[in-house]
Amino acid sequence: MGKLGQWITNNTKSPFYSRKVIKIEKKVKSAHANVCGLGQFHFYINGKKVGDHELDPGWTNYNKYIQYVRFDVKEYLGKGQNVLGAEVGNGWFIKCDEHYTFEFPEFMPPNPNPYRPFGENLVLALSLELNYEDGTTDIITADESFKVKRHCVTMSNVYGSETIEGGLVQTGWNTVEFDDSEWENASLVEAEKEPKGELTEQFQPAIKVLQSYEGKHIHDFKNRKIYDLGQNMSGILEAEVFGKKGEEIKFYPAEKLTPDGDVDQMAKGWMEIDSCITYIVGEEEKWEKFRMAFTYFAGRYVAVEGGDIQKLQGDAITSAYVTTGSFTCDDKRYEKIYNIIEKAVEANMVSVHTDCPTIERFAWQEPNHLMAPSIMYMKDGQKLWEKFFLDMRADQHTKDDYFLDFEGNKVFLGEGLMPSQCPCYIPNVLPVPGMGSFYDIIPWGSTSILGVYWHYLFYGDKKVLEDNYDSGMRYLNYLKTKVNADGFLNHGIGDWGNPKNYLVRENIETAFLYADAIVLMKFAEILKQTEDANALRAYAKQVKDNYNQKLLVKHPTEGFYCYKAWDHPGEVFLTQASQALPLYWGMVPEKYEADLAKALRFTLEREGAFISGEVGLPYVIQSASRYGMNELISEFILKEEHPSYYAFVLDGETTLGEYWENNPRSHCHDMMGHIAEWYYNGIAGIIPQKAGFQAVKIMPHLPKTMTNFQCSFESVNGLISVCVKEEQERILLEVNVPKNIEFSIDTSNLESRGKDIVIVS
């Protein structure tokens, strides 16, 4: 076990306490503890929680790798007797299915490869390294001398339900004075039953409480009291309760209310999310305090049944608590849109990037490139994305990886395949008839290449290319085996989330094939892999030439060249995404580039809104901005009816919804938040020209309904800020860029206002 010693357990699948009294007789110079409790743990010394983390360690494929957390603990220790304490809960290590747990919908085939626990019992390993002033060292590890006890959290469900029995609370359990004589000794985990994954130190930002929200009683509904936390969140619930011993007090979280005022736990078009936090009163008519321990709830509203409560609070948690960007302006609609996107990002960053806190909690990979620039402008994503890439490398298929069919036969999906979820806890590998594969989807797997591209562009660290280059090459080689006889990919789900179901698979997925090849070519050039670079350049040209030969046509009535949809034979059918993707990635022959910009404008003006799913939307927005359509973007995002970002604000949402609609299935998805990138590179015009923002172009745009904005971005090379203020006769442009960053200023977008531009830099 290396740095952690042995695994211990109390031989149960439900949460447990563990403690050990130690004696320190010398003066400590330094002390560190390495701790891992699976699935989730909290660590204490002498009655104090060590650190401010929640839900350690990060979620991983525990068969491949396991994170432990290293704490500096000198300040917690004293001479004489000290006590080490840990509490361990389920998480994904042994998933509990009491109350709501995710199930695939009926339209998907039955799953012969369901979730499987990663061990027989919950486990704990820790080591304490004591370095003394006299130069000697002690290392204390968990063993049978540790005492264990059943936890007061008797049930913990990774989807947000917990049951806490007040009568089982071990008051003072983590202090030296506590009498643990009735506790049992821990058992060592047999070698063949130890967790399989390689131990690695947790390096991404831990999950922490970002902000606490007080629950306000808004009304009663039948036998329930309804509270509003004021913010949809991923959160840890706590409260003080009062009742008769043994009485159950139940807390039901939800993202929304029913029309008659109850909490609404029904996910539109899915199922009821019957999450419930239950507190069983331990003492007769005495105020007791509880706090969730090993999972998090999702939502804004809470219904309470039974007993009395006070001081209800939701602690919003996230791994994305380091903010790098800000945007303010005088048209507050833009700020409100920005805020719901930022809050959705925060709620979905919990060591993995979940699709939503409420329903699935899966690490779907597509936003890790589609949303990467938006998030990386707003938040420090450097180490988070390195964790995401490690998850992908860990789960990428080898030639020996297989699943089972319903007859128990082995099914080998292919060397290099990148699962659409990493880590993937419930692998549904069977394609959905008429919809394609949800396990093997190129815009999802392409995070292993395109996500790496965004990381390198934002942070300028060549090591991320070195770490992920082989994985990207393996994935591209796998994709080549899926190209059909027409030279297209079409096995995924196309422009997922398109409000008119314009999926155009061949167009979308093959454009990503080209993007993967051309980006890998750039990586090969940077890494001086000349042979690979030449081969990738040739392959990208092959894909591009076939694409243009079969899809690039002259519009029969409009006269411009455009890309027709391959899945609409017999007509020239255009979608916004099918024009934007090839424009963005440079697939368009130079002589037709202006035509394609016209074709994109045509699709936007024809629809009068963004008719695109999450896959195409960032490219639609960015291509429209690049080719002079910023005012169309402004018009679309401020529309008061869906599809529109501002429509979510008018709906009363505090986070971004999943799809362009009222009452979406999930009210907290960040996957469509791509407009945040445009705030920074479209409005503020902070456009990187070299990796790590070593060089930038400042090309601001002032939307018609604004007269001023202020935007700042803390790049890895320093703070960049842009401020624009329109006055009666002129426009003031203030630009601040660190001396170590090259920059140029382009005022052409501002000049369209017809006023003098005064630059202050």
Side-chain angles (χ1 to χ4, degrees), residues 297-567:
F297 78 93
R300 169 180 174 176
Y301 301 97
V302 181
V304 183
E305 291 181 2
D308 292 315
I309 73 162
Q310 64 183 12
K311 298 182 181 178
L312 179 70
Q313 177 175 302
D315 295 334
I317 59 169
T318 185
S319 297
Y321 47 81
V322 178
T323 297
T324 52
S326 67
F327 182 92
T328 60
C329 66
D330 59 332
D331 187 339
K332 297 307 175 185
R333 294 175 296 177
Y334 287 87
E335 291 186 6
K336 291 175 181 178
I337 291 169
Y338 186 100
N339 187 62
I340 65 172
I341 295 171
E342 183 177 33
K343 291 302 180 186
V345 167
E346 291 167 356
N348 282 290
M349 289 286 181
V350 285
S351 81
V352 299
H353 190 172
T354 61
D355 62 323
C356 60
T358 313
I359 304 165
E360 297 180 40
R361 296 197 178 178
F362 291 156
W364 294 101
Q365 286 298 318
E366 87 287 6
N368 290 334
H369 71 90
L370 296 172
M371 276 293 293
S374 290
I375 297 173
M376 289 174 181
Y377 274 120
M378 292 191 291
K379 302 288 184 179
D380 180 2
Q382 187 166 6
K383 292 300 178 183
L384 273 169
W385 259 255
E386 290 172 17
K387 159 69 162 55
F388 304 157
F389 300 148
L390 178 56
D391 288 332
M392 298 193 84
R393 297 196 303 273
D395 275 7
Q396 187 171 22
H397 281 229
T398 69
K399 63 181 177 60
D400 299 321
D401 287 328
Y402 64 87
F403 289 96
L404 300 177
D405 63 18
F406 285 107
E407 286 71 45
N409 302 308
K410 294 180 180 179
V411 179
F412 296 86
L413 297 183
E415 152 69 22
L417 182 152
M418 191 64 75
S420 53
Q421 301 169 28
C422 302
C424 185
Y425 296 115
I426 310 176
N428 195 326
V429 301
L430 300 179
V432 179
M435 295 186 72
S437 175
F438 282 80
Y439 185 80
D440 176 13
I441 327 171
I442 180 171
W444 278 242
S446 291
T447 284
S448 60
I449 300 169
L450 304 183
V452 173
Y453 164 79
W454 285 113
H455 189 286
Y456 179 65
L457 184 62
F458 269 75
Y459 305 117
D461 183 1
K462 194 167 76 170
K463 188 176 185 301
V464 78
L465 306 186
E466 297 166 346
D467 289 345
N468 295 283
Y469 180 73
D470 289 343
S471 173
M473 289 292 285
R474 288 175 58 210
Y475 183 53
L476 181 64
N477 288 333
Y478 167 77
L479 290 175
K480 291 178 181 179
T481 70
K482 305 293 286 186
V483 174
N484 64 21
D486 294 308
F488 297 127
L489 287 178
N490 66 350
H491 65 285
I493 54 179
D495 187 21
W496 182 251
N498 189 293
K500 292 190 176 180
N501 207 35
Y502 298 157
L503 300 181
V504 289
R505 287 186 179 87
E506 288 81 359
N507 295 61
I508 300 300
E509 293 173 16
T510 311
F512 278 105
L513 177 65
Y514 176 81
D516 285 350
I518 207 72
V519 167
L520 275 174
M521 182 203 76
K522 294 175 183 176
F523 293 171
E525 290 174 342
I526 294 168
L527 299 175
K528 301 190 185 309
Q529 301 289 329
T530 305
E531 187 175 338
D532 282 355
N534 291 335
L536 288 161
R537 187 179 296 106
Y539 183 70
K541 183 178 184 303
Q542 174 188 327
V543 174
K544 176 179 176 177
D545 289 348
N546 181 72
Y547 198 90
N548 286 317
Q549 178 186 345
K550 293 177 178 175
L551 297 177
L552 184 62
V553 298
K554 191 171 186 178
H555 196 282
T557 59
E558 300 299 323
F560 49 65
Y561 277 83
C562 57
Y563 288 101
K564 67 176 182 178
W566 182 257
D567 61 0

Side-chain angles (χ1 to χ4, degrees), residues 325-326 338 377-378 676-682 684-686 711-713:
S326 67
Y338 186 100
Y377 274 120
M378 292 191 291
E677 178 186 4
W678 179 73
Y679 278 53
Y680 287 90
N681 68 8
I686 304 172
C711 182
S712 67
F713 168 58

